[in-house]
């Protein structure tokens, strides 16, 4: 497995690139997807494709729903009924300012990105531990903190990976609060005469006059997903960016973007379907799948602390080649641990 890193100066951004194959025993593709929990936007690009397949369309349509709950007391998320109904594994992670943290009286740790004067703290509560020990002093202390000492209320987005229960359970469970169901927004477009970088799966760093690098592709994808002009016209006041070289022009490319609260389990299914795209011969040598996390989520991957004071980006992108090789980009911002 090859790895390539780039560190930019202020504000700091870190991009990690690696290559592997979906068939390798040590491939990390599933782990990367499954441990990136808070996903806001999913985009995939398929060159030499005018219309998305029925399988891809059906999969995207099955992404929802998710829910918003207004002014929900935090103690509702630590009740035995809630944990036993909805939580199979997981932790409640709070990012609190100094005053709120001290008022709760709970144990936590200083944020790694508070600076010299600590003004933010992280509190992590193992919900399964509370569930298994409902009469413990720890549960009583946490419950007292959220109900009486510092009754916190927030607006929440909730998404639930169902394992056979009725879809309406979340709606009925929080029916006494202002809960609303949402469906992800889906945008599908067809891009004509798209200039694409030439890639070789074995050349992560690229080769002059032969293939573009993973870093060049990453910048190009950002421009494509932003619908920026790529022709570097002298009279353009919006963008001077142009496609890296060498490149080729594809007659048609399909771009699909889904926006909402999207669970890792759904993204795993989409990644698997995109891998199967090459089961039959295709003109496209590669496809891409990009996933962006919520800027203000408390973590990026797993329990890695995530800050958003200077951008809040945490994202990953797969470049899937027709020989089942893949490139993986992982990017984070200034107040983040390194990607896994």
């Amino acid at each position: 497995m090859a790895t390539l890193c780039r560190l930019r100066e202020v504000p700091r951004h870190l991009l990690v690139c690696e290559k592997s194959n979906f068939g390798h025993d040590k491939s990390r593709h599933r782990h990367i997807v499954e441990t990136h929990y808070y996903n806001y936007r999913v985009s995939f690009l398929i060159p030499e494709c005018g219309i998305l397949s029925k399988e891809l369309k059906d999969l995207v349509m099955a992404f929802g729903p998710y829910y918003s709950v207004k002014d929900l007391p935090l103690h509702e998320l630590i009740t035995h009924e809630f944990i036993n109904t909805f939580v199979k594994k997981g932790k409640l992670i709070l990012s609190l300012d100094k005053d709120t943290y001290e008022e709760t009286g709970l144990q936590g740790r200083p944020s790694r990105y508070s600076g010299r004067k600590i003004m933010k703290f992280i509190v992590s509560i193992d919900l399964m531990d509370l569930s298994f020990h409902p009469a413990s002093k720890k549960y009583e202390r946490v419950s007292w903190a959220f109900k009486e000492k510092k009754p916190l209320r927030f607006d929440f987005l909730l998404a639930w990976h169902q394992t056979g229960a009725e879809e309406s359970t979340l709606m009925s469970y929080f029916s006494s609060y202002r809960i609303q169901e949402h469906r992800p927004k889906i945008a599908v477009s067809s891009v004509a005469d798209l200039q694409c970088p030439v890639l070789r799966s074995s050349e992560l760093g690229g080769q002059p006059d032969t293939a573009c690098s993973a870093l060049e592709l990453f910048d190009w994808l950002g421009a494509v997903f932003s619908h920026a002009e790529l022709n570097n016209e002298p009279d353009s006041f919006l963008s001077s960016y142009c496609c890296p070289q060498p490149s080729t022009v594809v007659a048609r490319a399909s771009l699909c973007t889904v926006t909402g609260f999207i669970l890792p389990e759904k993204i795993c299914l989409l990644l698997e379907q995109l891998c199967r795209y090459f089961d039959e011969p295709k003109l496209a040598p590669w496809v891409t799948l990009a996933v962006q996390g919520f800027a203000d989520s408390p973590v990026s991957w797993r329990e890695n602390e995530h800050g958003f004071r200077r951008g809040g980006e945490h994202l990953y992108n797969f470049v899937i080649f027709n020989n089942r090789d893949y490139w993986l980009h992982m990017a984070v911002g200034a107040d983040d641990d390194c990607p896994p």
Side-chain angles (χ1 to χ4, degrees), residues 67-82:
Y67 306 87
S68 61
V69 187
K70 299 290 187 180
D71 202 32
L72 180 68
L74 190 58
H75 71 78
E76 288 282 8
L77 301 185
I78 64 167
T79 64
H80 302 308
E81 183 182 1
F82 176 81

Side-chain angles (χ1 to χ4, degrees), residues 36 72 110 126 134 139 148 183 188 202 215 270 292 303 322:
H36 194 264
L72 180 68
D126 190 330
Y139 181 84
E148 301 178 33
R183 292 281 174 175
V188 179
S202 60
L215 302 182
L270 179 57
Q292 294 176 256
E303 296 177 40
N322 55 13

